[in-house]
Amino acid sequence: MASVRGYFHPKTATGSASLIPSPPWHYSGDLLTVEYRTDPARVRELLPEPLGLADEDPGAVALVWADWQSCAASGEELLDPVRAQYKEAFAVVRCSYKGRTYSRCAYIWVDKDFAVARGLHQGYPKKLGSIHQTRPHPYGPAPRIEAGARFGATLAAADRRLAQAVVTLTGPSETNGFVNGHPMAHHRWLPSIEPGKGLALDELIESGAASFEAGPAWRGDAELELFEAPTEELARLEIREPIAAYYRQVGVVWSGGTLLESGTSAAE
């Protein structure tokens, strides 16, 4: 009897057409992070039960731009860059679960299909978008990683601009911010194929880096704007008070998560 292989669709006789390989997944990236405060009620409306608002600074938001190179354990994608390189922008809030503080990705846009597929597996609500950010370089007109360096970042989806930022570095930082600094609490949802049957997959999971390394973090000031769009709600996380901005280069390995609860969400 024929068998099919592959970690993700499409599954084939050899598995080589699978959209994503099996974990662990390795990432090298440049992160540009802008933190600000919004109305905590706008954060609360994004948290299904049993999640609640974080006890401290419940309205804090991080909007992160990331320029990634990624690969599976073999590293072969790095020599075929179309399979390795992608960009994303995502909004992170914090939440509480059983007395512990978690980070949670509320919105995220990527520019490659394999990144969307990985997000479906990890519980990230990924959509396709157009993401760009200034890259540092030690020569020519690009900014160096130093005080006074300026970086731009833009996010668009479905031909609409959703966010734009200009970050000016002011000096080294001991942290890369605090909003995106906890394990992630995400939901993995899949509707039943039968109408009216609810969710076939309904999991609250914890996820985080299996290993992490990073270069020096830099703090900065940010000019951030959010824009309304017909099919996006990022602008509901309106900017009430800026916190800070950060730049950092990181290396991350992701190899799986932990099931916290099953079949208890309030998703519809």
Side-chain angles (χ1 to χ4, degrees):
M1 179 178 292
S3 62
V4 292
R5 301 176 182 177
Y7 189 74
F8 203 79
H9 301 305
K11 292 180 178 289
T12 64
T14 68
S16 60
S18 178
L19 187 53
I20 52 175
S22 60
W25 299 326
H26 301 254
Y27 303 80
S28 300
D30 289 51
L31 271 58
L32 198 64
T33 302
V34 180
E35 292 186 338
Y36 67 93
R37 292 183 177 92
T38 191
D39 181 354
R42 294 292 173 89
V43 175
R44 184 67 187 90
E45 69 186 21
L46 295 171
L47 303 177
E49 297 295 339
L51 303 179
L53 286 170
D55 293 332
E56 296 183 8
D57 220 340
V61 179
L63 189 54
V64 186
W65 279 264
D67 190 353
W68 293 113
Q69 294 192 89
S70 63
C71 64
S74 69
E76 62 186 53
E77 297 93 336
L78 297 175
L79 300 182
D80 190 7
V82 70
R83 299 162 55 198
Q85 297 174 355
Y86 72 101
K87 296 185 289 293
E88 68 184 1
F90 53 102
V92 177
V93 298
R94 296 187 306 153
C95 60
S96 64
Y97 172 74
K98 292 187 175 180
R100 185 180 182 186
T101 300
Y102 287 86
S103 300
R104 182 176 175 89
C105 181
Y107 302 111
I108 181 169
W109 296 262
V110 299
D111 62 359
K112 292 289 181 65
D113 57 358
F114 63 81
V116 172
R118 285 197 301 224
L120 292 175
H121 178 65
Q122 297 169 306
Y124 284 88
K126 291 189 176 184
K127 303 172 73 172
L128 287 176
S130 175
I131 302 100
H132 296 278
Q133 66 190 83
T134 306
R135 293 169 174 161
H137 200 278
Y139 304 104
R144 282 63 165 163
I145 308 302
E146 60 187 12
R150 304 182 80 217
F151 295 80
T154 62
L155 164 64
D159 292 335
R160 272 85 170 189
R161 178 68 59 91
L162 303 181
Q164 62 187 28
V166 174
V167 173
T168 303
L169 301 186
T170 56
S173 172
E174 294 185 0
T175 75
N176 197 46
F178 68 95
V179 180
N180 194 33
H182 309 276
M184 308 300 291
H186 283 163
H187 279 87
R188 286 163 28 102
W189 288 321
L190 180 68
S192 172
I193 197 67
E194 297 185 53
K197 295 289 188 176
L199 294 172
L201 175 66
D202 183 4
E203 295 181 342
L204 174 63
I205 59 103
E206 177 183 323
S207 180
S211 66
F212 176 84
E213 58 182 336
W218 283 74
R219 187 182 177 97
D221 299 320
E223 305 166 31
L224 175 65
E225 295 179 88
L226 307 179
F227 305 99
E228 300 280 352
T231 58
E232 303 292 353
E233 300 182 59
L234 176 63
R236 286 186 63 79
L237 295 174
E238 60 188 13
I239 304 163
R240 288 198 167 181
E241 179 186 1
I243 298 176
Y246 303 90
Y247 173 87
R248 198 176 201 185
Q249 294 181 316
V250 302
V252 181
V253 178
W254 187 90
S255 61
T258 302
L259 179 64
L260 298 176
E261 291 192 24
S262 181
T264 59
S265 78
E268 296 180 356

